Amino acid sequence: MATTTTRVQTYQMFIGGEWVNAISGKAFESLNPYTGQAWALIPDGQAEDVDRAVTAAQKAMKNSDWKNMSPSMRGRLIWRLGDLIAENAETLALVETRDNGKLIREMLGQCKAIPNYYYYYAGLADKIQGETIPLEKTTVLNYTLKEPIGVVGILTPWNSPLLLLSFSLAAALAAGNAVVVKPSENTSASALEFAKLVHQAGFPPGVFNVVTGFGKTAGAAMSSHPNIGKLVVTGGRETAKAVARLASENLTPMLLELGGKSPNIVFDDAVVPNAVNGCIAGIFAASGQTCIAGSRLFLHENIHEEFLQRLVERTKQIKMGDPSSMDSEMGPMATTAQLDKVQGFVDSALSDGAQLIYGGQRPDSPELEGGWFYMPTIFDDVGNDTYLAQEEVFGPVLGIQKFIDEEDLIERANDSLYGLAAGI
């Protein structure tokens, strides 16, 4: 499944059931993190493109083809979309690997799992029911109806674009909404490939739209658009704050899924080899680029030395390489900005007195020099109040703290602004 083509593929946006260029005619390159080379050309959407997409979505909400479609028929359409995703899982996975540099084994696993979200919500589509409410006055009939919000705007990140899109898209479609998606400028291609399947499934024009572009232009325009009924945002805290400020002007409700600083806790009665494998998978499997990455490791003092030795031995064996190869165990950073951010965390940890056990630099292998790789990195004796312990790295950097007292452990593990996942 290794990627061999170097041809630059040109994409168009999907708006109102049609493939269109940005109104400005501008486009930007999407770079392959493994090679550092351009592989796709993406339309550079602006505010006018977002408005065009929102207008198309509003029109779809009024169109009888969608507005009057029975919930059961909506469910059949969504199920058909799930089938098409399953049939095209390998193609979608390869596109995501080219775009974000994550391992094909991870992207393929995600794409094969994605149809299940559509199957679930396909079954839910005709089970969205209101209620009758008894009143003191028996001559009055009081009842509730659940109706679509309208146009739902979805802003997706670059680490698992289609999986995170599906978390909210499947539900939005089942409820009868129309959707405008603005994918990350770093990973726009898979959403456009996905739009082909939505079109093929037979959804009416305008029910699903994709506007590509940069966060400060297209993303800001969608966040501030007065005709967006709800915004769904997956990303970092700073991005969410920026979106919230814009959305507040219209009191647009938001659904947020942000970052994490997840603790992995290993007690002294653990089966050490198994726990080592779990901790490595938790932080290095996706090059640390996941919101539930186990970036904080709390080790019981009694097993600290043995665990650390085994951890380093196994980490040294991690095979970094072409993410489109099933043999690779760790791929590059998705962007050069993320690569620089990871190095900044490493520099900060060193200045704060943490002990660098392994990694802490880019690999010197000639086969990897064109890509945005960073070695799996392990720090010991990390202070709980340091930048590395408190902030999300979103990269392959593990910070270790020892513990012996459970009350102290619980206090330190919970001493974080983030709360998303944990492992014991």
Side-chain angles (χ1 to χ4, degrees):
M1 295 173 79
T3 304
T4 57
T5 180
T6 56
R7 180 177 62 89
V8 176
Q9 184 169 343
T10 300
Y11 283 95
Q12 291 180 297
M13 295 186 290
F14 188 67
I15 298 177
E18 297 180 347
W19 296 100
V20 298
N21 294 319
I23 291 174
S24 67
K26 295 180 180 179
F28 60 92
E29 293 179 334
S30 187
L31 305 181
N32 183 332
Y34 173 57
T35 64
Q37 302 298 312
W39 81 274
L41 198 62
I42 306 295
D44 188 0
Q46 307 290 318
E48 57 265 32
D49 298 292
V50 172
D51 190 62
R52 178 168 56 165
V54 173
T55 299
Q58 287 182 295
K59 185 177 179 181
M61 291 298 300
K62 297 175 183 177
N63 189 320
S64 60
D65 289 346
W66 186 244
K67 180 180 179 181
N68 297 332
M69 183 181 290
S70 71
S72 295
M73 184 59 202
R74 280 205 309 269
R76 286 195 288 272
L77 272 182
I78 295 168
W79 192 282
R80 173 62 178 149
L81 177 57
D83 284 344
L84 288 170
I85 296 167
E87 293 168 16
N88 292 274
E90 186 169 315
T91 298
L92 295 171
L94 281 169
V95 169
E96 295 215 315
T97 292
R98 289 194 194 104
D99 232 5
N100 69 5
K102 293 181 79 175
L103 298 179
I104 186 63
R105 64 171 77 178
E106 179 187 356
M107 294 294 96
L108 185 56
Q110 288 185 9
C111 289
K112 286 182 175 180
I114 285 171
N116 292 321
Y117 293 92
Y118 294 91
Y119 297 150
Y120 177 87
Y121 283 102
L124 190 65
D126 59 1
K127 299 171 186 66
I128 302 171
Q129 301 166 348
E131 295 178 322
T132 56
I133 303 168
L135 296 178
E136 184 70 24
K137 292 184 178 181
T138 58
T139 56
V140 177
L141 176 63
N142 187 28
Y143 63 93
T144 63
L145 289 175
K146 293 183 180 179
E147 298 179 331
I149 289 171
V151 181
V152 176
I154 303 177
L155 297 165
T156 61
W158 46 257
N159 60 326
S160 295
L162 290 184
L163 179 67
L164 294 167
L165 168 63
S166 297
F167 284 176
S168 46
L169 174 61
L173 294 175
N177 297 285
V179 174
V180 178
V181 178
K182 208 299 283 183
S184 166
E185 57 267 29
N186 298 304
T187 54
S188 299
S190 61
L192 297 170
E193 292 286 349
F194 180 84
K196 297 176 184 178
L197 305 184
V198 176
H199 184 64
Q200 186 178 342
F203 284 84
V207 171
F208 180 78
N209 309 272
V210 181
V211 178
T212 55
F214 290 85
K216 292 183 178 180
T217 49
M222 194 156 89
S223 303
S224 61
H225 202 289
N227 295 325
I228 293 283
K230 186 169 187 174
L231 282 165
V232 182
V233 183
T234 307
R237 283 190 302 159
E238 295 309 312
T239 296
K241 289 177 184 178
V243 172
R245 282 191 288 268
L246 294 168
S248 67
E249 292 296 319
N250 301 306
L251 299 178
T252 306
M254 298 174 63
L255 179 63
L256 304 175
E257 199 273 279
L258 307 179
K261 193 66 183 171
S262 305
N264 267 347
I265 300 166
V266 183
F267 288 91
D268 58 353
D269 61 348
V271 179
V272 172
N274 293 350
V276 166
N277 288 338
C279 291
I280 284 180
I283 184 61
F284 298 139
S287 302
Q289 297 172 117
T290 172
C291 52
I292 58 171
S295 57
R296 291 189 294 155
L297 175 57
F298 291 89
L299 281 179
H300 196 283
E301 192 174 275
N302 292 346
I303 60 168
H304 174 267
E305 187 174 339
E306 177 193 358
F307 194 100
L308 192 57
Q309 180 182 345
R310 288 179 179 268
L311 180 68
V312 172
E313 288 174 357
R314 179 62 186 91
T315 301
K316 288 179 178 179
Q317 297 169 11
I318 293 174
K319 182 180 178 181
M320 305 179 73
D322 183 351
S324 64
S325 169
M326 294 296 282
D327 294 331
S328 296
E329 294 180 315
M330 188 169 153
M333 296 289 94
T335 68
T336 54
Q338 196 61 31
L339 184 65
D340 293 340
K341 180 182 177 184
V342 169
Q343 185 61 60
F345 269 93
V346 169
D347 294 342
S348 174
L350 290 170
S351 66
D352 285 334
Q355 183 182 359
L356 178 62
I357 303 298
Y358 184 75
Q361 61 185 22
R362 298 189 63 182
D364 56 8
S365 172
E367 312 92 74
L368 306 179
E369 62 182 1
W372 306 328
F373 288 88
Y374 201 89
M375 290 180 65
T377 298
I378 300 170
F379 278 100
D380 196 14
D381 296 326
V382 175
N384 201 49
D385 59 347
T386 62
Y387 189 58
L388 177 60
Q390 290 295 323
E391 292 297 332
E392 185 179 38
V393 183
F394 225 68
V397 182
L398 178 65
I400 299 174
Q401 300 182 44
K402 288 186 289 188
F403 76 91
I404 194 164
D405 177 77
E406 287 189 24
E407 288 189 10
D408 174 57
L409 160 69
I410 292 170
E411 184 175 343
R412 281 191 282 155
N414 284 323
D415 182 19
S416 170
L417 292 173
Y418 299 88
L420 199 59
I424 297 178

